[in-house]
Amino acid sequence: MVKWPNKWMELPIGGVINVPATSVDVKTGTWRSHRPVVNLDKCIKCLMCWVSCPDNSIIRLDDDYVDVDYYHCKGCGICANVCPTDAIDMVEEGGI
Amino acid sequence: MANFIRRLNEIPREELFASGHGLCAGCGIPPMVKIALKAVDGPKTVVNATGCLEVATTLYPNTAWRVPWVHNAFENAAATASGIEAALRALKRKRGWKDYKIIVFGGDGGTFDIGLQSLSGALERGHKFIYVCYDNEAYMNTGIQRSGATPIGAATTTSPAGRVIPGKPENKKNLLDIVLAHRVPYAATLNSAYPIDMWNKFAKASEYLDKGIGPIFFHYYSPCPVGWRMDSALSIEVARLAVQTRIWPLYEVEEGKIKINVMVRRPKPIEEYLKLQGRFRHLLKPENRHILEKIKEYVELNWNRLIRLSQLDSIY
Amino acid sequence: MSITVRQIRTGLNGDEAVAYAVKHANVDVISAYPITPQTIIVERLSEFVYNGELDAEFIPVESEHSALSAALGASLAGARVFTATASQGLALMYEILYITSSLRAPVVMALGNRAFSAPINIHCSHDDAYAARDAGWIQFFAETVQEAYDLTLIAYRVSEDRDVLLPSIINLDGFILTHSVEPLNIFADSEEVSRFLPERKPVNPIDPDNPITYGPLALPDYYMEIKRQQAEAIYSSKPIINRVFEEYKEFSGRRYSPLKTLYIDDAETIFVLLGSTAGTIRHMVRKWRRENKRVGVVSLTLYRPFPEEELIEAIKDAKNIVVMDRSFSYGSPGGQLFMDVSSTLLKYGLSPRILNVIYGLGGRDFTPDLAEKALHLVVETDEKIVWLGVRG
Ligand SMILES: Cc1ncc(C[n+]2csc(CCOP(=O)(O)OP(=O)(O)O)c2C)c(N)n1
Ligand code: SF4
Ligand code: SF4
């Protein structure tokens, strides 16, 4: 977690953000109404969900199976839609 | 040899575009950006025109970028990149600075309309960079106003599906034709449903830049669930349909030689594409049949022209 | 330490003098678009680059908007950058003026002061300089060709100073200065000049090994802090400007200061103005002194940051102040310099009689007769704003 200065004289000059990827701390997972759930039995490791996810929220494991980063996943449903074997289900949040 | 791929598992894992950005759920922009930053190898810098990508990825103090990223204004991304490129040339020569590649991202508003002059100037001067227009077919960041890239019949907030005028009356501008009039060495269309094709085009662009050849221009089909009024899950599906209906031909142009990357022999009915999107729904009503016919005519005309041109050794 | 450097006595016009200064500053990137009366600068620089006399990239942009956009990109990349424009060109750059200063890019620009359209006119007004006054750029006014040369070199030192990092404008009165040939001293080459102006050491340039996000979106939770910092930056450039003036005197033998004054000590009436007309007023002041009239003159070499303390020090004892504006701020209480001077006086609790003279628009001559008239009006009448030299 990057601690950003608070006072005007302490901010980096020119309004720049001088630390890369500070956005990773932002919990976009709260946007979600449905969560993707992966059924690894059906996964053929095609990685189409992984390249298509707008939020880098499909985690590509070492063996190329996939998992979900629920901290960032916005629940758009693209991963479930592109999966050729229907290995991903969109499940309503708080449903189960 | 360039780092061409045949399977998605050849793409490296490490992302240069981070999570936590504020682009809408299902936005079509990130799948392209992620690939661009990885397939263009070596050190690089991004220049971004004002628009959704810029606004949603750099809400101070949260940036989604792991590469240097420069935003100047709306209409001047190409000019800004020209300056960076010229500076780099001077600094390499005079002070031995290290090289890096420059990738520019601009929306259709920032490229087709307000930024067209800046783009044309930069292309004419021959700066060595890759310019990607992510085309979501309207000014999305300001709330879905029509642009020169909005297709005929589409409803936007400044071309609503009115009782008298049902959506945008004018056809989409052919941007790639304008770009090709500058005789750029390499240009292509991109589509997120064809990630391997997209990767290989960026990889080829990267190789061109390595040889000191540019500028390179890409026109990316960028689905926008919010602006197109469709289910966010359909982002990639609609992109695939755009290719399979011949609405969005996938092709590349190298030194004037056109190559069609996805030959669509039996196109799907255009209605299949239109019916997924709220912006087109009014066109399926009987009273708007004439517009539907116009769209079909236009798509066919464009496709046939592309086929004819692709038979030439070079269109330059 | 006093260095005597070799200098060459020559004759140049104002534009050429700026071009030589830019060459001697060994800039890396020039990005500019032609517009009278600045065009000669761009032409000379193109010759220097195309003849191999200056190792720089010349970007022949397709507009002034792109000229400054490219200059900003190049400056962020770490290059020493130059651009030049005038009037309509500045108006086209306007959007990027603010972005350049806000991103703290030390771009240096020459402005061949010219009237804004309409009617279209190529001659001198200070419309363009004033249009940039709120944009966060340091602004100098040259009064002679020598000053145009010197202030260009000075501007690079100031702008690129790590405690400043702001862009600078050098104003030259269109035609009066840009196109008239005057004798001046210039240095032999950029190597000599590098002793005063070494190569740029950029702070946080674009560097893939240190990825920085330049120009993000900042909303109500941070925007104001960023602007507060920028406001402080231009105020605190003043002591640095004074230090650079001092160093330049050591280097060149020529002395600069935020103001130039003549006969102010016991003056009852003081003229305050910008640009080349100061020469005319100085000539008149000498004449008036021979007639035992207690008149003095202050001309501003530094316009932004506004040299408040120096100005107050110079005019505090005067009964009458004539503020001369070569422009007008339509619908305002007066001309732009008039508003600057009036509010400064008020800020320091002073309330002399002030007359605002509007003169010289679109290149109209300001004659000695008009100066006499101004003096008469300030002493004998209570007119507040007068347009001098206008028919009717
Ligand atoms: C000179 C200027 N005019 C207008 C705007 C307002 N504006 C900001 S983004 C935008 C639309 C951007 O549209 P596009 O380029 O298609 O990108 P998108 O928002 O769709 O990503 C507009 C009109 C601006 N920022 N600057
Ligand atoms: S639902 Fe959307 S955001 Fe979540 S993992 Fe799937 S594609 Fe990514
Ligand atoms: S409005 Fe459209 S283009 Fe913009 S972030 Fe949302 S989905 Fe993406």
Side-chain angles (χ1 to χ4, degrees):
Chain A
M1 196 76 175
V2 177
K3 177 101 182 59
W4 204 255
N6 206 30
K7 296 190 173 138
W8 67 260
M9 39 307 205
E10 293 165 359
L11 296 179
I13 73 155
V16 303
I17 306 172
N18 56 5
V19 183
T22 41
S23 70
V24 293
D25 294 334
V26 180
K27 187 174 183 179
T28 49
T30 55
W31 298 19
R32 197 169 58 230
S33 65
H34 289 69
R35 62 164 54 205
V37 177
V38 187
N39 178 354
L40 289 183
D41 291 344
K42 291 195 195 168
C43 176
I44 55 166
K45 309 202 254 191
C46 74
L47 296 178
M48 198 53 199
C49 58
W50 175 69
V51 282
S52 305
C53 174
D55 293 280
N56 297 341
S57 298
I58 295 289
I59 302 164
R60 177 178 163 194
L61 304 169
D62 286 344
D63 57 6
D64 281 350
Y65 281 118
V66 295
D67 198 356
V68 179
D69 162 11
Y70 292 111
Y71 189 85
H72 294 113
C73 165
K74 293 172 185 162
C76 68
I78 288 179
C79 50
N81 181 271
V82 296
C83 178
T85 64
D86 290 331
I88 303 178
D89 291 320
M90 296 304 292
V91 180
E92 203 173 330
E93 280 293 345
I96 324 167
Chain B
M1 243 334 259
N3 63 21
F4 294 132
I5 61 165
R6 283 181 307 173
R7 292 168 53 91
L8 293 178
N9 65 7
E10 294 169 51
I11 296 179
R13 286 184 164 76
E14 187 209 348
E15 300 291 352
L16 294 171
F17 181 73
S19 321
H21 59 73
L23 291 157
C24 302
C27 177
I29 307 171
M32 178 277 292
V33 173
K34 291 194 312 181
I35 285 185
L37 296 186
K38 293 199 245 188
V40 175
D41 55 5
K44 70 213 86 179
T45 287
V46 165
V47 179
N48 206 158
T50 309
C52 281
L53 178 62
E54 168 264 328
V55 162
T57 61
T58 63
L59 174 56
Y60 192 91
N62 300 314
T63 178
W65 301 89
R66 291 193 175 96
V67 294
W69 178 94
V70 180
H71 165 245
N72 184 343
F74 186 18
E75 66 283 55
N76 62 358
T80 308
S82 302
I84 296 172
E85 189 252 12
L88 192 54
R89 241 184 294 147
L91 293 167
K92 279 190 294 185
R93 188 172 64 232
K94 293 170 80 171
R95 283 178 236 161
W97 281 31
K98 280 187 292 183
D99 203 3
Y100 52 81
K101 291 169 184 158
I102 300 164
I103 310 174
V104 191
F105 298 121
D108 48 291
T111 309
F112 280 64
D113 294 346
I114 198 167
L116 187 62
Q117 173 181 319
S118 163
L119 174 67
S120 173
L123 295 179
E124 183 264 332
R125 294 188 300 269
H127 295 279
K128 311 287 182 279
F129 56 58
I130 301 170
Y131 190 110
V132 190
C133 171
Y134 66 92
D135 182 2
N136 50 29
E137 305 197 316
Y139 301 162
M140 295 311 177
N141 187 50
T142 37
I144 326 169
Q145 293 81 29
R146 62 89 83 189
S147 76
T150 304
I152 186 168
T156 69
T157 56
T158 52
S159 65
R163 278 187 296 277
V164 180
I165 309 173
K168 188 191 175 202
E170 303 86 8
N171 264 318
K172 186 182 176 95
K173 191 190 274 192
N174 192 325
L175 180 67
L176 217 51
D177 279 0
I178 298 173
V179 168
L180 292 172
H182 296 78
R183 304 290 183 260
V184 298
Y186 184 44
T189 60
L190 310 174
N191 184 294
S192 54
Y194 298 82
I196 294 175
D197 175 76
M198 177 149 68
W199 175 285
N200 288 335
K201 284 170 177 168
F202 275 112
K204 191 181 281 181
S206 186
E207 197 178 39
Y208 271 118
L209 290 186
D210 283 332
K211 292 184 195 146
I213 298 171
I216 288 145
F217 187 90
F218 290 138
H219 189 190
Y220 172 66
Y221 179 88
S222 192
C224 169
V226 175
W228 297 2
R229 286 184 276 134
M230 67 176 186
D231 182 347
S232 60
L234 299 180
S235 216
I236 305 283
E237 185 177 329
V238 84
R240 184 173 296 112
L241 272 172
V243 173
Q244 292 176 346
T245 51
R246 295 180 173 168
I247 283 175
W248 190 270
L250 265 182
Y251 62 107
E252 62 189 327
V253 189
E254 278 187 88
E255 290 303 348
K257 174 68 192 158
I258 294 183
K259 180 178 167 198
I260 298 176
N261 306 109
V262 176
M263 185 53 77
V264 185
R265 290 189 209 284
R266 273 188 306 275
K268 293 206 163 146
I270 279 169
E271 289 85 342
E272 273 190 39
Y273 173 79
L274 301 180
K275 75 176 185 217
L276 297 181
Q277 306 171 47
R279 62 173 176 158
F280 291 128
R281 210 149 289 147
H282 57 287
L283 299 180
L284 302 172
K285 292 184 190 158
E287 64 267 30
N288 290 329
R289 241 211 118 68
H290 61 290
I291 302 170
L292 188 60
E293 290 310 318
K294 262 197 206 165
I295 297 176
K296 289 182 177 174
E297 249 170 58
Y298 187 65
V299 168
E300 192 176 304
L301 201 79
N302 268 341
W303 178 266
N304 291 338
R305 174 171 173 270
L306 191 64
I307 298 285
R308 276 200 319 279
L309 291 176
S310 71
Q311 285 153 2
L312 300 176
D313 287 339
S314 170
I315 57 164
Y316 288 174
Chain C
M1 173 189 64
S2 175
I3 348 172
T4 14
V5 271
R6 203 153 53 85
Q7 298 193 40
I8 299 161
R9 190 74 177 159
T10 179
L12 296 171
N13 65 37
D15 278 353
E16 290 168 330
V18 170
Y20 271 96
V22 171
K23 180 184 176 200
H24 292 162
N26 189 17
V27 302
D28 303 306
V29 175
I30 300 147
S31 167
Y33 192 80
I35 181 168
T36 308
Q38 156 277 140
T39 311
I40 303 167
I41 305 179
V42 191
E43 290 173 345
R44 285 300 163 276
L45 287 171
S46 307
E47 284 167 22
F48 294 151
V49 172
Y50 277 60
N51 290 330
E53 295 171 48
L54 169 61
D55 185 7
E57 293 294 323
F58 183 90
I59 315 178
V61 281
E62 79 299 332
S63 77
E64 287 88 351
H65 194 282
S66 287
L68 189 53
S69 299
L72 172 54
S75 187
L76 292 177
R80 177 170 290 163
V81 184
F82 178 76
T83 188
T85 193
S87 134
Q88 304 310 111
L90 184 100
L92 195 53
M93 284 180 177
Y94 198 65
E95 183 191 25
I96 315 305
L97 287 178
Y98 282 74
I99 299 174
T100 304
S101 56
S102 303
L103 297 188
R104 309 289 297 273
V107 172
V108 170
M109 163 153 75
L111 194 55
N113 302 121
R114 159 177 163 179
F116 276 158
S117 296
I120 192 165
N121 172 299
I122 53 171
H123 295 277
C124 186
S125 278
H126 292 155
D127 298 349
D128 43 13
Y130 287 146
R133 75 190 159 149
D134 299 335
W137 288 55
I138 292 168
Q139 284 202 46
F140 299 100
F141 269 83
E143 215 191 290
T144 62
V145 167
Q146 180 73 64
E147 289 184 11
Y149 177 84
D150 292 339
L151 288 170
T152 304
L153 296 176
I154 287 168
Y156 277 106
R157 264 296 297 278
V158 170
S159 282
E160 292 174 5
D161 190 293
R162 25 184 340 120
D163 295 324
V164 176
L165 295 175
L166 287 170
S168 290
I169 288 173
I170 302 105
N171 289 287
L172 307 72
D173 280 359
F175 286 100
I176 304 162
L177 202 51
T178 57
H179 284 61
S180 39
V181 177
E182 292 174 7
L184 79 163
N185 291 323
I186 63 171
F187 300 106
D189 53 32
S190 59
E191 211 174 299
E192 292 270 17
V193 171
S194 71
R195 288 153 63 190
F196 168 72
L197 179 66
E199 116 188 339
R200 181 180 170 200
K201 297 272 179 299
V203 178
N204 286 335
I206 294 170
D207 174 8
D209 291 333
N210 174 30
I212 290 176
T213 292
Y214 306 85
L217 167 78
L219 294 179
D221 55 348
Y222 277 105
Y223 185 85
M224 207 158 160
E225 279 70 28
I226 294 169
K227 292 288 113 175
R228 178 68 187 84
Q229 195 185 59
Q230 190 185 344
E232 191 63 23
I234 189 156
Y235 285 133
S236 36
S237 69
K238 252 276 283 311
I240 294 158
I241 294 169
N242 278 320
R243 196 192 71 216
V244 174
F245 281 158
E246 203 48 44
E247 287 177 39
Y248 193 71
K249 192 189 81 191
E250 296 286 303
F251 179 67
S252 69
R254 287 184 292 279
R255 177 196 298 274
Y256 285 87
S257 61
L259 308 179
K260 287 200 283 190
T261 59
L262 182 69
Y263 289 123
I264 52 166
D265 287 346
D266 63 342
E268 257 175 23
T269 302
I270 296 181
F271 282 68
V272 181
L273 78 168
L274 296 162
S276 61
T277 306
T280 310
I281 302 294
R282 245 180 254 122
H283 169 82
M284 292 305 291
V285 164
R286 287 195 190 93
K287 171 180 169 285
W288 288 325
R289 286 282 166 172
R290 288 195 295 275
E291 297 164 3
N292 294 322
K293 292 180 183 152
R294 292 190 1 225
V295 187
V297 53
V298 174
S299 62
L300 278 64
T301 299
L302 181 66
Y303 175 54
R304 284 291 184 273
F306 196 70
E308 302 177 20
E309 296 89 353
E310 293 86 344
L311 182 70
I312 289 297
E313 187 52 37
I315 66 177
K316 62 178 190 308
D317 297 326
K319 256 171 50 196
N320 311 309
I321 308 288
V322 179
V323 182
M324 298 190 41
D325 272 298
R326 196 164 199 154
S327 179
F328 196 63
S329 176
Y330 301 93
S332 298
Q336 293 88 332
L337 185 61
F338 170 81
M339 290 191 278
D340 281 331
V341 174
S342 305
S343 47
T344 305
L345 286 166
L346 189 63
K347 189 169 161 185
Y348 287 81
L350 298 172
S351 49
R353 146 119 180 91
I354 315 180
L355 171 70
N356 187 196
V357 168
I358 309 300
Y359 76 102
L361 305 194
R364 176 69 51 93
D365 250 3
F366 187 76
T367 59
D369 282 355
L370 295 176
E372 291 285 6
K373 191 158 179 191
L375 184 59
H376 165 78
L377 287 169
V378 75
V379 177
E380 309 290 337
T381 74
D382 60 0
E383 294 255 26
K384 301 284 189 270
I385 304 178
V386 291
W387 287 53
L388 289 188
V390 68
R391 286 191 298 276

